[in-house]
Amino acid sequence: MNAQPTDASFDTRQRLIEAAILTFAEKGFDGVGIREIALRAKANSALVTYHFGGKEGLYLEALRYIFNRKACHVAELAAAPRFEGPGAREAAIQGLKSHIRAFMEDLMACDRGPDPLDEAAMALMAREMQAPRPVSSALLMEQIRPHVEHLMHCLQVLRADLTTDELLNMGMSIQGQMLYFRNSLGIARLIRGNPNYPEDLEGVIRHFTDFSLRGLGIPEAFPQSRN
Amino acid sequence: MNAQPTDASFDTRQRLIEAAILTFAEKGFDGVGIREIALRAKANSALVTYHFGGKEGLYLEALRYIFNRKACHVAELAAAPRFEGPGAREAAIQGLKSHIRAFMEDLMACDRGPDPLDEAAMALMAREMQAPRPVSSALLMEQIRPHVEHLMHCLQVLRADLTTDELLNMGMSIQGQMLYFRNSLGIARLIRGNPNYPEDLEGVIRHFTDFSLRGLGIPEAFPQSRN
DNA sequence: GACTGATTCAAACGATTGATTAATTCTTGG
DNA sequence: CCAAGAATTAATCAATCGTTTGAATCAGTC
């Protein structure tokens, strides 16, 4: 593995990484050979060991590439200040709404157009989340933690009466519906008989927002008790 | 592959299938060799081809074994009659509660004690749901469809004012949080720093029930408007 | 143009893959 | 008891795996 890539090797490295994302996402780590990746990247398979130290090194670098590439909206929110004092509750509601919107927009990568690489990157992250490799679980945790903490902060402000465990359950339900939505897009399109679903992402975001606020137990979001 | 297994070969077949479930669940289809499975089953690796026609045949047989073994609670519910006439609403609420409980108990296989085989079976199904193999996707869909239809019927009774698309969104949120819970057990345990999570499955079931009923917009489930 | 280090390449490495073979053991009905 | 078929075994198959090798090619520097 070389120390720092030069301009000459940068293109090859990038092509290998992108081919790795596409192919790993499609078939999983064990379902792909480095020859297949190298062929897709129009590079020699020996370069995988040369540039990344091996197949696993390429896999790790692919994950890092995904994390760095996705200048997430969620990441910006995670850096927001804490909600305190009067108006904290309203701010937390707005923060939760923003989180759901940002997370959905990140999930769908809707602001960069339909990019197959983004699509594959999310599929690969989904694989990694379900069956985390020991070597990459730390990388994944480091990436997810700030988002989790920001969401948990919103929830804690909104439901100060709940225990930490109950708050984690709330967060799990909120994140779960969105991540499952992303993971099962293919099936959902089949069930609805609509290959373009969701045409109305705004409607889906609105649904997740309302469902989450009600599920969380926010009175303002509950239609029957609103008036 | 032999036509019908005799008594003599039944034990070996069973041992191979159970070893396959455990090992496939742990490392995925491509991450396991038949020698490793055979070693775990204390059998000869050539018997995989002899009894099941090959590695993929063993995998399919393992899935069938899971489906047959798991006399799912959800499957019983799916065969329940439709909710009609007076009391339909109460019945639908109870039906939804039962569905969530049954689905969670099936997901966690908690009613037969902590059986590593059941645990592995669910992990394998989770893998299969996220990245279904072409040969087994039909088997999986056939297994899942009745559960989806039963859930949709409950939702339709409870929220007759919603469009089909909105109802599908509701169902997606309800199933999503549970499936995500199952799929991301590994990450959840990392986040909580508790490898034994969830110790209190009842609490999780109660949470999903409350969250779903509130999210669905059922007034009775909303604490602030209950009294 | 010669030298240097980084990069790429074709070829081959040993190991392991799923599958096959042929011989052997086990089981069982006549 | 004994053929006959089923079940199991060790050994081996070709293919592929990730990796290594050594030479070729490239880009700069003196």
Side-chain angles (χ1 to χ4, degrees):
Chain A
M1 178 160 42
N2 66 348
Q4 54 247 16
T6 64
D7 290 354
S9 68
F10 184 77
D11 285 347
T12 306
R13 284 176 57 93
Q14 175 122 338
R15 285 204 320 276
L16 277 173
I17 289 176
E18 296 190 354
I21 292 175
L22 292 171
T23 323
F24 280 142
E26 193 178 335
K27 308 183 180 182
F29 181 81
D30 292 312
V32 183
I34 57 172
R35 285 174 179 83
E36 182 179 352
I37 298 176
L39 190 67
R40 193 167 197 164
K42 300 188 199 309
N44 192 289
S45 65
L47 295 177
V48 170
T49 302
Y50 175 75
H51 281 300
F52 307 101
K55 184 186 184 183
E56 194 137 60
L58 172 59
Y59 183 77
L60 277 176
E61 208 56 36
L63 285 183
R64 290 203 192 91
Y65 182 82
I66 291 175
F67 294 151
N68 294 338
R69 175 189 166 90
K70 296 194 74 66
C72 304
H73 301 106
V74 185
E76 304 169 10
L77 293 179
R82 297 293 181 232
F83 308 128
E84 289 172 325
R89 178 178 172 82
E90 285 307 316
I93 290 182
Q94 193 52 48
L96 180 58
K97 287 183 178 179
S98 300
H99 171 84
I100 291 177
R101 168 172 296 278
F103 196 81
M104 286 299 294
E105 288 177 349
D106 284 347
L107 274 184
M108 303 302 291
C110 59
D111 54 336
R112 278 188 298 272
D115 185 344
L117 187 60
D118 282 324
E119 190 114 5
M122 288 313 304
L124 184 55
M125 271 196 60
R127 273 188 193 269
E128 185 60 33
M129 278 204 252
Q130 188 195 320
R133 299 191 153 267
V135 288
S136 54
S137 62
L139 194 64
L140 189 66
M141 283 299 300
E142 174 190 345
Q143 183 73 14
I144 290 179
R145 181 170 299 279
H147 309 166
V148 173
E149 284 177 356
H150 175 254
L151 172 63
M152 288 303 295
H153 174 61
C154 293
L155 301 185
Q156 198 262 332
V157 169
L158 291 173
R159 291 297 302 269
D161 57 311
L162 298 185
T163 66
T164 300
D165 212 62
E166 289 169 325
L167 286 173
L168 282 169
N169 281 339
M170 293 290 184
M172 190 171 57
S173 287
I174 294 173
Q175 293 298 98
Q177 53 182 336
M178 292 192 283
L179 282 167
Y180 173 76
F181 163 78
R182 168 70 227 205
N183 284 2
S184 63
L185 255 188
I187 298 180
R189 284 169 177 155
L190 285 180
I191 288 181
R192 297 169 193 254
N194 178 6
N196 299 115
Y197 173 84
E199 286 140 334
D200 177 29
L201 185 62
E202 280 304 315
V204 178
I205 291 177
R206 205 179 316 118
H207 162 74
F208 282 142
T209 304
D210 293 342
F211 193 92
S212 299
L213 284 173
R214 285 198 301 266
L216 193 55
I218 306 297
E220 302 91 298
F222 209 68
Q224 277 82 350
S225 65
R226 186 178 290 156
N227 49 359
Chain B
M1 177 160 43
N2 66 348
Q4 54 248 16
T6 65
D7 289 355
S9 69
F10 186 78
D11 284 347
T12 307
R13 284 176 56 93
Q14 174 122 339
R15 285 205 319 278
L16 277 172
I17 289 176
E18 295 191 354
I21 292 176
L22 291 171
T23 323
F24 280 142
E26 193 178 334
K27 308 183 180 182
F29 182 81
D30 294 310
V32 183
I34 56 173
R35 284 172 179 83
E36 182 179 353
I37 297 177
L39 189 68
R40 193 167 197 164
K42 300 188 198 307
N44 192 291
S45 65
L47 294 177
V48 170
T49 302
Y50 177 75
H51 281 299
F52 307 100
K55 184 186 184 184
E56 194 138 59
L58 173 59
Y59 184 77
L60 276 177
E61 207 58 35
L63 284 184
R64 290 202 192 92
Y65 181 82
I66 291 175
F67 292 151
N68 294 340
R69 174 189 167 91
K70 296 194 71 62
C72 302
H73 302 104
V74 185
E76 304 169 11
L77 294 179
R82 296 293 181 232
F83 308 128
E84 289 172 325
R89 178 179 172 80
E90 287 306 317
I93 290 181
Q94 193 54 46
L96 180 58
K97 288 183 178 178
S98 300
H99 171 84
I100 291 177
R101 169 172 294 278
F103 196 81
M104 286 299 294
E105 286 178 348
D106 285 347
L107 273 184
M108 302 303 291
C110 62
D111 55 332
R112 278 188 297 273
D115 185 347
L117 185 61
D118 281 325
E119 188 107 12
M122 285 319 304
L124 182 55
M125 272 197 58
R127 274 187 190 272
E128 189 60 32
M129 277 200 246
Q130 191 195 338
R133 309 196 143 260
V135 288
S136 54
S137 62
L139 195 65
L140 187 67
M141 285 302 293
E142 174 190 347
Q143 184 77 12
I144 290 180
R145 180 172 299 279
H147 311 165
V148 174
E149 286 176 356
H150 176 255
L151 172 63
M152 287 306 293
H153 173 62
C154 293
L155 301 185
Q156 199 264 329
V157 170
L158 290 174
R159 290 299 300 269
D161 57 311
L162 296 185
T163 67
T164 300
D165 211 61
E166 289 169 324
L167 286 173
L168 283 169
N169 279 340
M170 293 290 184
M172 190 170 59
S173 287
I174 294 173
Q175 292 298 96
Q177 54 182 334
M178 292 192 284
L179 282 168
Y180 170 76
F181 165 77
R182 168 68 240 198
N183 279 14
S184 64
L185 259 185
I187 288 290
R189 284 168 176 157
L190 283 178
I191 288 179
R192 296 173 193 248
N194 178 8
N196 299 114
Y197 172 83
E199 284 136 337
D200 175 30
L201 186 61
E202 278 305 313
V204 178
I205 292 178
R206 202 177 321 119
H207 161 75
F208 281 142
T209 304
D210 293 343
F211 193 92
S212 298
L213 284 174
R214 285 198 301 266
L216 193 53
I218 307 296
E220 302 90 299
F222 208 68
Q224 276 82 349
S225 65
R226 185 179 294 157
N227 48 1

